[in-house]
Amino acid sequence: QEDPRMKIPDLHDLESAGVLEYRGTADAVAEAAAAAGLECLTVDLARASSKRSLLAAFADGLRLPEHFGENWDALADCLEDGDWLGKAGAVVRIAHSAAYRKAHPNDWETAEEILTEAAEFWRERHVPFWVLVG
């Protein structure tokens, strides 16, 4: 039985866009994003050890604007900014999340809620926003 977390979702299926567990390779994500015409961004949480370093990893990986305020509200605002995402949509791959998720479950839950809300926001506007958490 193939683990469904190893398979990339159909990135053309706008209704399924959201936050999903994903255990496959970075190359597979990049190839699928390119095939779907989506920008591919990577947030690496290998060094994240606090809320501040988590938000810094998001700011870096998502190429958030200079004025990003490094707090939850600022992250939510940036993720729903059309100038940031553009018209094509994006796939965000979150790498090395397991240690952070285990050490900081409350912060992770908040981050995941913000990402899920952003995916719903963009789905309503017919723009794909995928977050693949690995």
Side-chain angles (χ1 to χ4, degrees):
Q1 181 79 19
E2 185 182 20
D3 183 340
R5 295 172 303 181
M6 293 294 288
K7 188 173 185 301
I8 289 209
D10 177 2
L11 300 179
H12 296 285
D13 181 6
L14 181 64
E15 292 306 310
S16 298
V19 180
L20 304 168
E21 292 277 328
Y22 178 69
R23 299 280 181 262
T25 68
D27 288 346
V29 174
E31 288 172 21
L38 303 176
E39 184 169 10
C40 186
L41 301 165
T42 299
V43 175
D44 189 347
L45 300 185
R47 294 196 184 100
S49 59
S50 65
K51 175 182 168 185
R52 184 181 181 121
S53 58
L54 174 75
L55 289 168
F58 274 108
D60 187 43
L62 299 178
R63 300 194 290 268
L64 297 179
E66 290 291 317
H67 65 269
F68 173 62
E70 291 196 2
N71 61 60
W72 295 128
D73 289 339
L75 178 62
D77 290 347
C78 285
L79 290 177
E80 294 180 7
D81 181 340
D83 290 338
W84 169 74
L85 185 62
K87 300 206 181 340
V91 179
V92 176
R93 187 177 75 88
I94 299 183
H96 308 110
S97 70
Y100 189 90
R101 291 163 67 181
K102 186 174 180 183
H104 305 279
N106 292 341
D107 281 349
W108 178 254
E109 187 176 318
T110 301
E112 199 169 36
E113 285 172 9
I114 290 169
L115 292 165
T116 299
E117 287 173 14
E120 291 168 1
F121 174 90
W122 290 113
R123 189 179 318 120
E124 290 169 4
R125 287 152 182 81
H126 308 289
V127 176
F129 181 73
W130 294 88
V131 180
L132 304 180
V133 182

